[in-house]
């Protein structure tokens, strides 16, 4: 999935080719929806990111990944 993570966490998802431009909250919700359908793996591609990839990875590490590291997750 191509991800263009905006710097505004509340940005709703807008489709782009093979992915979405969205904020961190929308990314979490999208991934949680996938998890509910028993999807266990997702590849995130930042090739079309408007922001520096280092910044995007830091935000994902701080705000997205913790949502999926608790008890009961696959």
């Amino acid at each position: 999935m191509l991800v263009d993570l905006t710097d505004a966490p509340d940005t709703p998802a807008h489709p782009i080719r093979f992915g979405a431009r969205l904020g961190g909250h929308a990314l979490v919700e999208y991934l949680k929806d996938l998890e509910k359908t028993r999807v266990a793996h997702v590849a995130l591609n930042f090739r079309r990111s408007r922001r520096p990839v280092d910044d995007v990875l830091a935000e994902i590490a701080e705000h997205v990944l913790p949502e999926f590291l608790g008890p009961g997750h696959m």
Side-chain angles (χ1 to χ4, degrees):
M1 167 184 181
L2 287 175
V3 175
D4 183 4
L5 193 68
T6 68
D7 57 359
D10 292 323
T11 302
H14 298 283
I16 60 175
R17 187 172 183 185
F18 302 120
R21 179 170 297 114
L22 69 175
H25 296 152
L27 179 58
V28 167
E29 291 307 312
Y30 176 77
L31 295 173
K32 285 184 177 185
D33 288 345
L34 289 178
E35 185 178 49
K36 289 175 190 171
T37 65
R38 311 289 291 161
V39 171
H41 299 85
V42 175
L44 302 178
N45 183 324
F46 306 106
R47 185 182 67 189
R48 299 185 81 191
S49 181
R50 295 179 183 184
R51 295 173 55 200
V53 173
D54 290 345
D55 293 350
V56 172
L57 289 175
E59 184 175 336
I60 286 174
E62 184 176 349
H63 298 288
V64 176
L65 292 180
E67 296 288 328
F68 301 93
L69 298 176
H73 283 90
M74 294 181 209

